[in-house]
Amino acid sequence: MPHETTKNAAGALDVAVLVSVGRHPVTGRTRRADQDARAVEAALTLNKAHVRLIHAGRHETDSETALRGYLGMGFEGLTLIEQTRDADVLPALTSTLREAPPRLLLCGTRAETGEGSGLLPYLLAESLGWPIVTGLAEIERIEPEHVTLLQALPRGQRRRLRVRLPAVITVDEAAPAPRQSAFGPARRGRLVVSEQVSRPDAALAGWTLEPARPRPKRLKVVKAASARDRFKAAAAKAEGGGGQVLTDATPEQGAEAIVKLLQDEGVLRRLL
Amino acid sequence: MLDILLPILIFSALALAAIGAVRRIRLWRQGRPSPVPVLGGLAAVPRRYLVDLHHVVARDKVMSSTHVATAGGFVAAMALAIVVHGLGLAEGVLGWLLLAASATMFVGSLFVARRRINPPARLSKGPWMRLPKSLMAFSLGIFVATLPAVGVLPPDAGGWLVAVLLAAAVAWGLAELVFGMTWGGPMKHAFAGALHLAFHRRAERFSTAAGPGRRSTGLKALDLDDAEAPLGVETPADFTWNQLLGFDACVQCGRCEAVCPAFAAGQPLNPKKLVQDMVVGMAGGSDAAYAGSPYPGKAVGEHAGDPHGPIVAREGTALVDAETLWSCTTCRACVEECPMMIEHVDAIVDMRRFLTLEHGNTPNKGAEVLDNLIATDNPGGFDPGSRLHWAADLELPLMAERGEAQVLLWLGDGVFDMRNQRTLRALVKVLRAAGVDFAVLGNEERDSGDVARRLGDEATFQSLARRNIATLAQYRFDRIVTCDPHSFHVLANEYGELGGNYEVSHHSTYINELLEAGWLSLKASRLGRVTYHDPCYLGRYNGEYAAPRAVLDALGVERVEMARSGYRSRCCGGGGGAPITDIPGKQRIPDMRMNDVSETGADLVAVGCPQCTAMLEGVVAEDRAVVKDIAELVADALDESAPAKDRRRVTEEEAA
């Protein structure tokens, strides 16, 4: 039985989830990407939403197994924008989303295969002209023009945001774990191929790719005599020091403060 | 007057029974097709009833004799009553035979009545409480009504009042015993039971003139190549028709309930109620009329279903709650005890398959374990390239390098478990001491698929099984030896359907052979009292009860048996993915098992299964018995001063 939300009910919120081909960290086998699956889960738990899945990439046996993993969460179909291996999927995704714009676009923060730079959601939001929110913890309320959500911050903190629709929301490990993918719906679901021109990624062509080497982990030496000290050390906040809180600042004052900070940190050297 | 009434009663009862039979058969035929040899099956019923079924019933001597007297008396009395009273042929010996048959039946019914005075909790009450009275009414009524026919009493003795009373008693008896059989009364078990024996889905279980029946314990594979074939059982009508027939044969004796570890632990499962729920679903309605022990913690009367409605609802309640199905440890104690030869475990896994493959609703750690099996070929999500890390210093011979060996040592997923690694090291030590020519698959080995299959994920099971079969096909070996009864069962009994046929031995069987052949020398044991816990997948699934005990005896220990051992062994709680789905109960199954151990006063419990080791060793109790695998006990007792034998060399000498 397909999930309720896949039925296009009148007045339902149109939600699109971008899904990618994941890679298991131990064996490297393709699978549904964890963050993308969490994004699908977040979409499926919305009331009165019509959820569609979109994938841009090559269509091959391995990637099909992974994509069917998303279908197994309870979908009848998935839009597959077929692209060549060297393609930059951004233009294809942008034009697909412009043709039929959803009110809400969900995706994982970073892909498990390919570049995995985590930039795609930002570039997509920029080219669509939509706001982007990262680190979704929970979608609290949907209104016709806005969505209220909780954004995950470090150490379990949450920030409530009210965002104008349409919007791009990215999901990481802070969102609830995805539901099980069932074999039956995964096998039955259809991959609906959608035609889009493949634009080769010029930058990628100039790069040399090699497998990442696991970097040695820095040992965290905790000199604590008691369990209480160890707990405090583990739970302690990163000590930033400095910093300032601006209240009631004008946008110009805020921007100046940010530029000053970036210059102090050496990020914006050329403006000096 | 009786000679007019009795024929009418008898023939109308038979006619009603025939109508009921057609209706009942229609209920069963709602199920999916399952081809059976009709005439051959029917012809086999007497033998299957008198030999195989009686073998199970006879474990309770009193009840067995009671049933022989009552049922045998009834069948004889009914057949003779048709001739004597129905056709009016009372001449000669027939009337006297009828008197003898109804008297035997009456004596039997007294014992049935006695059992119903303070019935044990496992017996269903309700309509079953009136059964002894019905039996008595029929046997007494026929007995007295036959007296005039043989000339003991004058034809019109007692006048019309006695005649009416007799006719009423016989009518009551006929209603219960003849058409009650096909209209759903307690006697339904006789009609459905006989046909169930004829059309059993595992006909190989039964003995034939050629020899005893085989154990038939491997689950049946789903056809995954056919995209239209249903993935498991969603509605009662998704069972095969002879499975539905099997459920209908249940006599509600509750022997399954009495041995079910999940029921005893207070988890929401009672095999008897589950079978009755399937009957309710097949006929449509609610379980309110059920008169036995409920699922622990679940009231009767809140669940209902119909033949084409879901058994487990996605939300809310339907016929059965999912947690009932996930409580089962697949220990087969219920199947072993069932006098009607019902296959509870098949049914539970069939329903689990639907929950996992269609709903995607395997509880608790189930989904995670299945994901790990898919991605890493082992349930813990460990690197499949690290399967031999535990044996880095053992220099185990690899099949990939050797190509052939006499024994392929199947290690199992215990390679990732530090406790089981001790057992494996001990087993390797024993094999080397005996000079066995063995090799391992190493990183080429994958999970056998046992857990995936019992969690209902037939797709992952078949994927693992097919890849393992392809790996095994590359090498030459005489047999597989493993210390994991779950792998043993799957390799020996479930790979065959997918094209992998092997001779498989449990390590206890193999060590026993080595001892008997004189390949191992053991020192005198210093162990005290030792008891042995039969793993379900070695004992009930594969019938190996003797070899582990023979090994213990060879060790020279004082072996004591638990009250529940051998084919009645109580499960450790580790089978069927139960520790993964982890359905809460009132107590833990391994705690109950360790109580069984401590009742024997044993200081040590010998085990032969990684699951049992983990479950029993996880029990926290004061002065709990030590848990050790048979391989560890043998390895500790090896006499290392004796010269090591080279099996290969000796074999070559023998050949020369």
Side-chain angles (χ1 to χ4, degrees):
Chain A
M1 197 183 80
H3 196 269
E4 250 337 278
T5 49
T6 57
K7 293 193 181 118
N8 199 351
L13 182 80
D14 186 12
V15 181
V17 188
L18 300 184
V19 294
S20 62
V21 174
R23 185 176 182 279
H24 192 271
V26 175
T27 56
R29 291 184 198 167
T30 58
R31 58 161 191 179
R32 55 180 180 158
D34 180 61
Q35 292 179 345
D36 291 348
R38 285 172 196 262
V40 176
E41 179 64 36
L44 284 176
T45 45
L46 291 175
N47 279 328
K48 291 201 350 188
H50 167 236
V51 184
R52 54 195 165 106
L53 304 179
I54 300 171
H55 169 74
R58 258 163 69 91
H59 184 193
E60 45 197 8
T61 323
D62 259 12
S63 64
E64 176 159 341
T65 316
L67 296 177
R68 290 200 174 275
Y70 299 106
L71 292 172
M73 297 171 79
F75 291 88
E76 283 171 359
L78 174 150
T79 306
L80 173 63
I81 306 167
E82 212 167 342
Q83 297 278 288
T84 53
R85 180 181 287 279
D86 61 345
D88 180 3
V89 297
L90 184 66
L93 279 175
T94 310
S95 64
T96 302
L97 290 168
R98 279 216 183 102
E99 281 164 24
R103 297 295 284 162
L104 196 59
L105 181 67
L106 287 162
C107 60
T109 301
R110 181 194 289 270
E112 293 174 0
T113 49
E115 276 173 52
S117 65
L119 273 178
L120 182 96
Y122 293 96
L123 297 172
L124 206 52
E126 186 186 36
S127 61
L128 291 168
W130 296 355
I132 179 166
V133 180
T134 59
L136 173 76
E138 188 189 336
I139 295 176
E140 289 192 319
R141 202 150 62 93
I142 303 267
E143 294 156 76
E145 295 301 321
H146 291 91
V147 56
T148 310
L149 50 84
L150 287 183
Q151 184 187 38
L153 299 176
R155 290 173 205 288
Q157 295 180 86
R158 295 288 181 265
R159 172 158 63 191
R160 182 166 288 119
L161 296 173
R162 192 157 177 269
V163 184
R164 177 174 51 78
L165 291 176
V168 180
I169 300 178
T170 70
V171 175
D172 60 21
E173 283 73 16
R179 66 193 56 191
Q180 191 175 352
S181 173
F183 175 79
R187 185 174 67 170
R188 274 191 305 273
R190 282 169 297 110
L191 300 180
V192 184
V193 177
S194 148
E195 295 296 324
Q196 289 285 348
V197 181
S198 290
R199 300 237 177 96
D201 189 337
L204 183 68
W207 294 353
T208 315
L209 295 179
E210 63 181 58
R213 261 182 317 171
R215 262 195 270 172
K217 270 193 190 139
R218 187 181 293 271
L219 282 180
K220 194 176 166 190
V221 183
V222 179
K223 284 176 190 151
S226 68
R228 185 168 177 273
D229 291 343
R230 275 194 298 278
F231 179 78
K232 276 171 73 179
K237 278 192 179 180
E239 289 188 21
Q244 52 175 321
V245 179
L246 297 177
T247 45
D248 301 328
T250 64
E252 287 74 21
Q253 284 170 326
E256 274 168 26
I258 292 171
V259 168
K260 184 171 181 301
L261 177 75
L262 293 176
Q263 287 169 341
D264 290 350
E265 296 288 334
V267 179
L268 292 182
R269 226 170 273 153
R270 62 195 168 87
L271 288 185
L272 279 170
Chain B
M1 194 168 114
L2 270 180
D3 47 0
I4 304 166
L5 274 180
L6 283 180
I8 298 175
L9 286 175
I10 287 173
F11 287 112
S12 45
L14 289 174
L16 279 169
I19 298 171
V22 172
R23 288 168 51 105
R24 208 76 210 167
I25 290 168
R26 278 199 176 153
L27 284 183
W28 305 328
R29 299 294 300 185
Q30 296 174 105
R32 293 214 312 266
S34 169
V36 292
V38 176
L39 294 177
L42 287 172
V45 171
R47 184 187 179 94
R48 290 177 181 179
Y49 176 75
L50 294 171
V51 177
D52 301 281
L53 187 142
H54 188 74
H55 173 75
V56 181
V57 178
R59 290 172 189 165
D60 182 344
K61 288 275 181 280
V62 178
M63 203 48 228
S64 158
S65 311
T66 304
H67 195 263
V68 169
T70 320
F74 168 70
V75 172
M78 191 59 216
L80 288 162
I82 294 173
V83 179
V84 173
H85 296 298
L87 307 174
L89 300 171
E91 288 87 30
V93 77
L94 285 178
W96 290 102
L97 282 177
L98 177 52
L99 282 181
S102 52
T104 313
M105 182 183 168
F106 181 70
V107 173
S109 65
L110 288 179
F111 279 89
V112 180
R114 195 186 67 166
R115 195 164 78 138
R116 288 281 159 185
I117 292 170
N118 266 320
R122 64 183 172 88
L123 289 180
S124 288
K125 317 293 186 296
W128 296 87
M129 296 307 279
R130 67 162 196 254
L131 186 58
K133 298 176 195 118
S134 312
L135 293 166
M136 283 190 226
F138 180 81
S139 50
L140 264 186
I142 288 286
F143 186 85
V144 177
T146 310
L147 290 176
V150 294
V152 173
L153 289 178
D156 52 354
W160 66 269
L161 183 64
V162 171
V164 166
L165 283 176
L166 276 181
V170 172
W172 175 11
L174 286 171
E176 181 82 279
L177 300 173
V178 179
F179 66 86
M181 214 156 46
T182 59
W183 286 82
M187 287 306 294
K188 184 186 65 174
H189 76 274
F191 173 62
L195 293 179
H196 173 52
L197 289 181
F199 307 129
H200 200 283
R201 202 156 159 250
R202 293 178 181 272
E204 61 277 11
R205 275 185 71 180
F206 299 102
S207 66
T208 58
R214 287 189 290 112
R215 247 160 230 287
S216 171
T217 52
L219 293 171
K220 294 185 186 295
L222 279 184
D223 181 5
L224 296 177
D225 296 329
D226 178 3
E228 300 301 312
L231 300 170
V233 164
E234 178 185 20
T235 70
D238 286 340
F239 284 110
T240 63
W241 71 274
N242 46 3
Q243 278 181 297
L244 292 178
L245 166 59
F247 302 143
D248 220 16
C250 174
V251 66
Q252 301 196 37
C253 66
R255 286 188 186 194
C256 51
E257 170 186 322
V259 295
C260 177
F263 180 81
Q267 287 169 263
L269 171 64
N270 175 350
K272 179 175 90 172
K273 171 82 162 62
L274 184 74
V275 168
Q276 285 313 306
D277 281 350
M278 296 304 113
V279 174
V280 164
M282 173 182 82
S286 117
D287 66 343
Y290 172 73
S293 317
Y295 298 128
K298 290 195 187 287
V300 167
E302 291 169 0
H303 292 75
D306 64 87
H308 302 285
I311 293 172
V312 178
R314 264 181 203 267
E315 279 159 20
T317 59
L319 196 56
V320 172
D321 292 338
E323 53 183 14
T324 294
L325 303 176
W326 295 113
S327 295
C328 177
T329 66
T330 67
C331 75
R332 272 185 87 82
C334 49
V335 185
E336 186 76 34
E337 284 295 321
C338 182
M340 302 307 286
M341 312 277 176
I342 298 169
E343 297 279 350
H344 311 68
V345 175
D346 282 359
I348 286 173
V349 174
D350 279 341
M351 293 185 274
R352 284 185 180 185
R353 282 174 174 171
F354 187 82
L355 294 182
T356 292
L357 296 176
E358 286 290 353
H359 280 199
N361 223 345
T362 322
N364 288 325
K365 289 286 177 187
E368 187 183 321
V369 165
L370 294 176
D371 277 347
N372 284 339
L373 282 168
I374 292 167
T376 65
D377 301 334
N378 66 74
F382 298 102
D383 182 356
S386 66
R387 288 193 87 98
L388 279 189
H389 282 188
W390 64 279
D393 58 334
L394 292 180
E395 292 173 13
L396 292 182
L398 286 174
M399 268 295 182
E401 290 164 10
R402 296 270 310 277
E404 63 181 312
Q406 281 181 351
V407 166
L408 187 147
L409 182 62
W410 185 274
L411 299 167
D413 291 322
V415 294
F416 297 111
D417 173 57
M418 290 173 83
R419 172 65 184 85
N420 189 242
Q421 288 165 6
R422 300 213 309 261
T423 305
L424 289 170
R425 296 185 79 88
L427 180 56
V428 168
K429 185 179 167 192
V430 171
L431 293 180
R432 289 206 157 137
V436 174
D437 168 33
F438 74 96
V440 299
L441 289 175
N443 291 339
E444 289 187 288
E445 192 182 303
R446 295 167 194 87
D447 178 90
S448 64
D450 164 72
V451 168
R453 189 167 230 200
R454 267 139 272 273
L455 287 177
D457 192 345
E458 182 72 4
T460 301
F461 164 75
Q462 290 193 12
S463 158
L464 288 165
R466 286 184 205 284
R467 284 179 287 149
N468 277 326
I469 290 169
T471 304
L472 289 168
Q474 297 169 30
Y475 304 118
R476 284 173 52 202
F477 49 88
D478 294 339
R479 66 163 132 182
I480 299 174
V481 172
T482 177
C483 67
D484 175 11
H486 295 262
S487 301
F488 170 27
H489 167 67
V490 172
L491 286 164
N493 303 322
E494 298 191 345
Y495 276 18
E497 211 177 345
L498 303 173
N501 292 293
Y502 315 104
E503 189 193 337
V504 192
S505 302
H506 186 244
H507 69 311
S508 65
T509 314
Y510 193 65
I511 290 175
N512 189 40
E513 283 175 30
L514 294 176
L515 285 168
E516 283 178 347
W519 296 110
L520 288 170
S521 353
L522 302 180
K523 294 178 290 194
S525 164
R526 288 190 304 274
L527 298 166
R529 297 177 73 142
V530 175
T531 189
Y532 171 66
H533 165 75
D534 288 276
C536 309
Y537 277 72
L538 182 63
R540 277 186 293 268
Y541 274 81
N542 288 293
E544 182 61 280
Y545 304 111
R549 290 181 167 80
V551 173
L552 288 179
D553 291 345
L555 286 167
V557 301
E558 180 196 350
R559 179 162 61 81
V560 288
E561 290 292 348
M562 286 182 264
R564 285 182 60 177
S565 64
Y567 74 88
R568 280 204 166 132
S569 171
R570 197 208 294 261
C571 178
C572 70
I580 297 163
T581 54
D582 200 22
I583 304 299
K586 291 198 173 55
Q587 52 182 331
R588 294 176 70 248
I589 296 173
D591 289 352
M592 296 189 295
R593 191 53 174 165
M594 281 311 267
N595 279 341
D596 294 351
V597 171
S598 64
E599 275 169 17
T600 65
D603 325 304
L604 188 147
V605 52
V607 289
C609 170
Q611 294 283 345
C612 299
T613 313
M615 296 304 285
L616 297 182
E617 215 167 48
V619 171
V620 179
E622 273 180 53
D623 296 332
R624 140 169 106 50
V626 176
V627 181
K628 281 214 167 184
D629 193 276
I630 298 252
E632 291 180 285
L633 296 176
V634 174
D636 289 349
L638 282 178
D639 185 359
E640 279 158 274
S641 60
K645 291 171 180 160
D646 188 330
R647 194 185 172 87
R648 270 167 292 166
R649 196 195 62 221
V650 177
T651 328
E652 279 159 19
E653 279 169 13
E654 279 169 3

